[in-house]
Amino acid sequence: MHVLVPSTTQLVWQSRQYIDGAYAAPLELPDIAEQIGFSHYHFLRLFQRNFEITPHQYLIQRRLERARDLLINSNLSVTEVCFAVGFQSLGSFSSLFQRSTGHAPSHYRRRHFQGMSLPRHFIPGCYRTIFGLGLQRVN
């Protein structure tokens, strides 16, 4: 009977997938390393060698990507977005976000919708007519 053992590279990729799925949780390096069965120092070296970024930097990057998406596509407040993506401090979230995008979170949201007077959940009039929604205002 042959047992397939994942390669080190596969395990490091699995750790990245773990971060992608659990980015909103309070993750620490030893917790991530434990998921694939390595010491946290060995895991840190392997992750950095494979992705040219530390696991912590990758986690922050992933959280900021999700925050940008939530700021544009949801009605959550900046504080709600901060906690939804796993940051524990609004101040550190705002400063990291600004360093990453060049804009404060609230300015990023406003800048994205600059010049748009339509509500985010806009339904074109032709669809309202076709589906019998008449002239009701839809938000």
Side-chain angles (χ1 to χ4, degrees), residues 45-112:
R45 286 189 301 273
L46 289 172
F47 194 96
Q48 195 163 12
R49 185 181 316 141
N50 279 277
F51 301 116
E52 299 179 354
I53 188 171
T54 67
H56 180 72
Q57 290 168 331
Y58 180 75
L59 174 62
I60 297 300
Q61 187 179 68
R62 181 69 180 100
R63 285 175 173 170
L64 291 172
E65 287 170 5
R66 183 65 179 135
R68 286 192 297 271
D69 181 54
L70 286 174
L71 286 168
I72 292 169
N73 297 310
S74 77
N75 291 323
L76 296 175
S77 70
V78 171
T79 303
E80 290 169 326
V81 168
C82 165
F83 294 117
V85 299
F87 285 99
Q88 303 299 313
S89 160
L90 183 58
S92 63
F93 165 69
S94 294
S95 66
L96 286 168
F97 191 91
Q98 184 156 358
R99 197 176 324 149
S100 168
T101 64
H103 302 282
S106 56
H107 292 159
Y108 181 84
R109 175 179 271 165
R110 277 194 301 260
R111 186 170 181 260
H112 185 75

Side-chain angles (χ1 to χ4, degrees), residues 114-132:
Q114 186 176 5
M116 292 181 65
S117 59
L118 303 173
R120 291 186 193 159
H121 304 288
F122 175 73
I123 300 174
C126 59
Y127 283 101
R128 289 187 293 183
T129 302
I130 291 170
F131 294 105

